[in-house]
Amino acid sequence: NAGVTQTPKFRILKIGQSMTLQCAQDMNHNYMYWYRQDPGMGLKLIYYSVGAGITDKGEVPNGYNVSRSTTEDFPLRLELAAPSQTSVYFCASRTGTGDGYTFGSGTRLTVV
Amino acid sequence: QQQVKQSPQSLIVQKGGISIINCAYENTAFDYFPWYQQFPGKGPALLIAIRPDVSEKKEGRFTISFNKSAKQFSLHIMDSQPGDSATYFCAASNIGTSGSRLTFGEGTQLTVNP
């Protein structure tokens, strides 16, 4: 049972480039989330999804897009990367019953 | 608006001592309060959680104390060990809202010296 799998683990982007951060879970969880983690700032919610085909903005959605075509996958798209998007990105999922999140191991992104 | 405020930012404790991390929240609709533990290079992992209908929950060496009237909750780590050295995050959510999304505190970096 893999849990939540994020790829890639590391990536360096140039300003203006685009990329997709992949997230997949094999626990049949309906709820999925994308957070970014910056030093001393905790985790900030970017986007979330309550099921396939349903997504909504979190606290810091600007510069990002998501899609949820299947229960398993929840990719995060960065368009026109900016240095402010340098961060560690975490994907998480949960069953929807009020239990805790299961997090992936993260993607460390640097925009130069 | 910072809805969950965590302190201290960093904490150094001797092996065998008690580590205490505090959180305060603003939104009275929050009804789920978990703590997460994060080791370097890893994602956060759920450590322990509490609902507001109880004032304390204990799991092994980890205890959450919850004060609803003060809108505060804290994590106590008894007999702290070097292996407990990690970053700890408190969080809160309203289970009834869309996505039941968690709001996190800023994190506390705990170091337990041998």
Side-chain angles (χ1 to χ4, degrees), chain A residues 13-70:
Chain A
L13 277 183
K14 293 184 178 179
I15 294 172
Q17 287 185 323
S18 301
M19 77 164 293
T20 299
L21 282 67
Q22 301 291 344
C23 175
Q25 53 93 7
D26 60 0
M27 298 172 286
N28 202 32
H29 286 174
N30 287 324
Y31 289 37
M32 296 187 74
Y33 310 83
W34 274 106
Y35 283 84
R36 60 177 288 173
Q37 183 178 27
D38 301 302
M41 300 294 290
L43 292 95
K44 302 294 185 185
L45 181 65
I46 305 171
Y47 270 95
Y48 69 100
S49 170
V50 300
I54 306 170
T55 63
D56 207 346
K57 296 178 181 179
E59 188 179 358
V60 290
N62 292 341
Y64 307 94
N65 276 299
V66 293
S67 60
R68 184 94 182 272
S69 57
T70 66

Side-chain angles (χ1 to χ4, degrees), chain B:
Chain B
Q1 180 185 6
Q2 179 61 44
Q3 294 194 57
V4 179
K5 194 157 183 65
Q6 184 172 345
S7 63
Q9 188 173 13
S10 62
L11 180 62
I12 300 174
V13 174
Q14 291 300 117
K15 178 182 176 182
I18 302 173
S19 303
I20 302 174
I21 305 170
N22 301 298
C23 280
Y25 63 96
E26 300 172 4
N27 187 346
T28 55
F30 285 153
D31 55 8
Y32 175 68
F33 303 89
W35 284 90
Y36 284 81
Q37 180 187 56
Q38 185 182 29
F39 293 105
K42 304 293 185 182
L46 179 65
L47 188 61
I48 187 172
I50 197 168
R51 303 282 167 86
D53 53 340
V54 296
S55 60
E56 186 175 282
K57 183 174 181 180
K58 183 176 181 180
E59 291 184 1
R61 296 185 294 110
F62 301 91
T63 300
I64 299 179
S65 296
F66 183 78
N67 186 330
K68 188 174 182 178
S69 61
K71 293 187 289 184
Q72 295 176 347
F73 59 110
S74 60
L75 176 69
H76 293 64
I77 306 174
M78 311 300 290
D79 187 26
S80 298
Q81 299 297 311
D84 297 330
S85 296
T87 300
Y88 292 81
F89 293 96
C90 64
S93 70
N94 180 342
I95 293 177
T97 59
S98 174
S100 301
R101 48 205 184 276
L102 285 171
T103 298
F104 285 84
E106 302 95 328
T108 296
Q109 187 164 352
L110 171 66
T111 302
V112 181
N113 289 328

Side-chain angles (χ1 to χ4, degrees), chain A residues 2-13 18-25 32-34 72-78 87-92 103-109:
Chain A
V4 178
T5 301
Q6 290 185 240
T7 56
K9 292 190 181 303
F10 304 93
R11 183 72 184 268
I12 298 174
L13 277 183
S18 301
M19 77 164 293
T20 299
L21 282 67
Q22 301 291 344
C23 175
Q25 53 93 7
M32 296 187 74
Y33 310 83
W34 274 106
E72 293 78 19
D73 300 299
F74 190 39
L76 177 71
R77 178 79 177 166
L78 278 71
S87 188
V88 181
Y89 292 84
F90 287 101
C91 178
F103 280 88
S105 57
T107 294
R108 183 175 294 275
L109 176 66

